[in-house]
Amino acid sequence: MYAYIIRRLALIIPTLLGIMIINFVVIQAAPGGPVEQMIAEITGTAVEATARISGDAGGGEVTAQNQTSLGTNQSANSKYRGAQGLPPELIAQIEKQFGFDKPAHERFLHMMGNYLRFDFGDSFFRDKSVLDLVLEKMPVSISLGIWTTLLVYLISIPLGIRKAVRDGSRFDMWTSGVVIIGNAIPGFLFAILLIVLFAGGRYFDWFPLRGLVSDNWSDLNTFSKVTDYFWHMALPVFSMVIGGFAGLTMLTKNSFMEEINKQYVVTARAKGLQEREVLYRHVFRNAMLIVIAGFPSAFIGILFTGSLLTEIIFSLDGLGLLGFEAALNRDYPVMFGTLFFFTLLGLILGIVGDIMYHIIDPRIDFESREV
């Protein structure tokens, strides 16, 4: 097992590099990059945009003389959309500010060299480093990801097992109705319903609608801090659990039903083993493999992308919202920095999933398989 883990860790480097190359090429081909974003601001609100542009490494500042020359110096052949009427010197200065004065392959190699040192650079449009932004937003996303994943698995696995054991019973019928409803209602619509019902939307005003904790959280004692934190987390996490538990419940049920009907289960029962021992000693180990296989991707999905609408609805400033705004604004350092971080995290969690495979069923031997 140790040799397999070492090989998988070694594969992280080429896999991560390949993912970064593909996304870098796609992003470079997409229109509306940071240079065009700045050009659009200049042509729309020249005073505000000009104040933001300052040259790096001796580039100098855009002055009023540049502004007055917008109509006289034409840049009709510019490669940027909307640059007509702007002086070439201004375009060159903007390119230098964002690093676009270098070829794409040089920018990529420079970026990856910095990433190897975990230097993710500074945001183009925020006065903070990418690492500071990620650390600032991390508590929200970690809270949503951990509690949602934990509750989904704690609810879905026992419920799926019980539905498999009592397949066709009244319990199976009405719980299937709940699962269907949970699967049919999008999480963001359920979040809005919770706000209307319990967050002062129309009926009750029991839960807060904004932030991870209250403004006076630092002044509270330990018990009150914990209570305040879960008070703020209750509705967002509940709205995400409703949409997530349905699929996992049915997956668990189907996995158990497939194993229950196999010959080794019939043999175990014929030997006089109790039903509970048959289920949790023999069936559980085999049926849970497919459930565990999806854990890394499920956690990453909840952590980064699945919580986007929840963060918007409940005014939670997390990584999902950060990545969405970075994509809209073409804030490349934030986009690629978060992509690098979550790709690396996902690859590591994939290895963790394989280790859990082996823990649950030691008969699975990755050593004898080719990576």
Side-chain angles (χ1 to χ4, degrees):
M1 189 66 182
Y2 293 109
Y4 171 79
I5 294 174
I6 292 173
R7 291 197 301 269
R8 285 293 303 271
L9 289 174
L11 277 175
I12 287 179
I13 297 175
T15 304
L16 184 59
L17 182 61
I19 292 173
M20 295 299 295
I21 290 175
I22 293 172
N23 282 274
F24 186 85
V25 172
V26 171
I27 292 298
Q28 298 306 308
V35 175
E36 290 177 310
Q37 293 277 348
M38 186 60 71
I39 289 173
E41 289 193 26
I42 289 177
T43 55
T45 55
V47 175
E48 179 184 353
T50 301
R52 290 174 53 185
I53 303 178
S54 59
D56 295 329
E61 238 181 52
V62 180
T63 63
Q65 184 178 358
N66 296 127
Q67 298 179 43
T68 57
S69 63
L70 297 182
T72 57
N73 293 321
Q74 297 296 316
S75 183
N77 296 325
S78 175
K79 59 184 177 181
Y80 299 108
R81 183 175 55 187
Q84 288 76 14
L86 296 180
E89 296 80 8
L90 179 61
I91 302 299
Q93 187 172 326
I94 297 174
E95 287 182 327
K96 186 173 183 179
Q97 176 184 350
F98 292 117
F100 279 73
D101 57 330
K102 300 180 179 65
H105 68 279
E106 290 187 16
R107 297 201 309 271
F108 178 78
L109 292 175
H110 179 72
M111 179 184 72
M112 293 306 298
N114 290 335
Y115 284 4
L116 291 177
R117 303 191 302 270
F118 287 91
D119 178 10
F120 300 106
D122 298 324
S123 169
F124 282 162
F125 304 110
R126 299 171 184 247
D127 191 21
K128 287 185 178 180
S129 69
V130 174
L131 185 58
D132 288 341
L133 282 172
V134 170
L135 293 177
E136 179 184 323
K137 315 298 183 184
M138 186 71 77
V140 171
S141 296
I142 289 292
S143 295
L144 290 175
I146 288 179
W147 296 121
T148 300
T149 305
L150 181 63
L151 288 176
V152 164
Y153 273 75
L154 286 178
I155 294 172
S156 300
I157 292 177
L159 181 60
I161 294 174
R162 189 166 181 81
K163 284 175 64 62
V165 173
R166 303 183 61 179
D167 182 47
S169 66
R170 182 175 297 179
F171 172 82
D172 183 42
M173 295 296 182
W174 73 262
T175 52
S176 295
V178 174
V179 168
I180 291 173
I181 293 174
N183 195 39
I185 300 178
F188 71 92
L189 285 182
F190 193 76
I192 295 174
L193 176 63
L194 291 177
I195 291 175
V196 172
L197 292 177
F198 303 113
R202 185 172 181 180
Y203 296 98
F204 305 102
D205 191 8
W206 291 347
F207 294 93
L209 191 56
R210 179 181 297 275
L212 189 62
V213 292
S214 300
D215 294 335
N216 64 335
W217 188 80
S218 59
D219 300 328
L220 302 176
N221 57 45
T222 302
F223 177 78
S224 299
K225 285 182 178 180
V226 174
T227 304
D228 182 78
Y229 168 76
F230 283 108
W231 183 45
H232 282 76
M233 281 285 97
L235 295 187
V237 169
F238 188 41
S239 67
M240 295 177 67
V241 167
I242 289 297
F245 91 101
L248 186 60
T249 298
M250 296 309 299
L251 178 63
T252 304
K253 176 187 174 181
N254 293 335
S255 298
F256 265 79
M257 288 190 63
E258 182 180 356
E259 294 296 324
I260 286 174
N261 295 323
K262 289 185 176 179
Q263 184 61 41
Y264 75 91
V265 177
V266 177
T267 303
R269 287 170 174 166
K271 290 181 177 179
L273 294 179
Q274 295 182 357
E275 188 68 18
R276 185 178 184 85
E277 188 176 2
V278 172
L279 283 176
Y280 291 100
R281 184 178 176 182
H282 298 280
V283 177
F284 183 86
R285 184 172 60 183
N286 297 321
M288 289 305 297
L289 291 177
I290 190 173
V291 177
I292 291 174
F295 174 79
S297 59
F299 180 72
I300 290 294
I302 293 173
L303 185 65
F304 188 50
T305 56
S307 61
L308 172 59
L309 291 177
T310 303
E311 290 177 12
I312 295 174
I313 292 171
F314 289 98
S315 300
L316 297 170
D317 194 6
L319 291 173
L321 186 58
L322 175 66
F324 177 71
E325 291 178 346
L328 289 181
N329 297 326
R330 300 298 194 272
D331 196 343
Y332 288 172
V334 176
M335 291 174 61
F336 288 114
T338 52
L339 173 66
F340 180 88
F341 175 78
F342 280 102
T343 302
L344 180 61
L345 181 61
L347 293 172
I348 293 174
L349 285 178
I351 299 175
V352 173
D354 288 346
I355 295 174
M356 293 176 66
Y357 264 132
H358 182 72
I359 292 174
I360 291 179
D361 191 350
R363 296 172 300 175
I364 297 179
D365 183 17
F366 291 106
E367 297 280 1
S368 60
R369 302 184 181 186
E370 294 293 334
V371 180

